[in-house]
Amino acid sequence: MNGRDRDTEGRARSARPRDGLGRPLAYGEAGVERQPEGVVRTPAETVEQAQRLLDAGMPFHAHEVFEDAWKSGPAAEAALWRALAQLAVGLTHAARGNAVGGARLLRRGATALAGDGDAAGGTAGGGAPYGIDVPGLVRWARELAGRVEAGAAVDAAAEAPRLGPPSGRPKPL
């Protein structure tokens, strides 16, 4: 038996604490609580929880919320949630100082959201699914990718996007 950390189902999973950007810390250091995996949320709960995490400067954790939605929701909605997860991971990498990876993921997520040739078909033409401001997110991601490539330092909380208008009832896809 090796000494790898395992989760309750026996899968390899590091028990090291993580910082707000998901980076592993040394055992025994104080970290932030991880997002539980495999949580099934309504789309409105997904957007609300992810926005809270983005606003707190925790895009890595927001990505996990989007990943749950992408994996547990209807197949027809997977492209939306996967694209949002890519945006969150792009912001994570940019905030960690990985300009190449951050810009690449921000653009990949924007392309998928906009439907610009993404194999998954994108979400263009779908209006504002669940109140998500798709055109605004596409602009935000592409603009931030350009600044990241130009060498801008990124503060995840300061750069957090608004997923949708602060008020208004989300509409289904």
Side-chain angles (χ1 to χ4, degrees):
M1 175 96 180
N2 66 29
R4 292 181 76 179
D5 296 329
R6 303 237 173 234
D7 66 14
T8 57
E9 296 174 11
R11 291 183 304 247
R13 179 177 165 103
S14 176
R16 288 171 57 184
R18 303 274 176 161
D19 72 4
L21 292 174
R23 293 176 289 219
L25 302 170
Y27 286 104
E29 283 192 40
V32 300
E33 190 173 330
R34 291 184 181 202
Q35 283 300 122
E37 291 181 29
V39 176
V40 177
R41 299 173 184 88
T42 67
E45 290 168 336
T46 296
V47 171
E48 181 181 329
Q49 178 70 4
Q51 187 68 67
R52 185 185 66 74
L53 291 163
L54 288 166
D55 291 345
M58 298 171 60
F60 178 81
H61 302 274
H63 131 268
E64 292 178 337
V65 171
F66 290 133
E67 192 171 89
D68 283 341
W70 141 31
K71 291 180 177 181
S72 68
E77 297 178 10
L80 170 68
W81 302 119
R82 184 173 46 249
L84 292 170
Q86 288 171 333
L87 294 183
V89 173
L91 178 56
T92 299
H93 281 283
R96 289 177 177 176
N98 176 359
V100 173
R104 183 175 292 141
L105 283 160
L106 286 164
R107 285 201 174 96
R108 187 179 300 153
T111 297
L113 277 177
D116 297 341
D118 180 75
T123 61
Y130 305 116
I132 297 168
D133 179 9
V134 171
L137 287 170
V138 169
R139 282 189 304 276
W140 167 84
R142 289 178 174 161
E143 186 272 331
L144 181 58
R147 286 193 293 117
V148 167
E149 285 178 327
V154 174
D155 176 299
E159 297 289 350
R162 287 295 318 155
L163 298 175
S167 62
R169 183 178 200 140
K171 76 175 198 180
L173 282 174

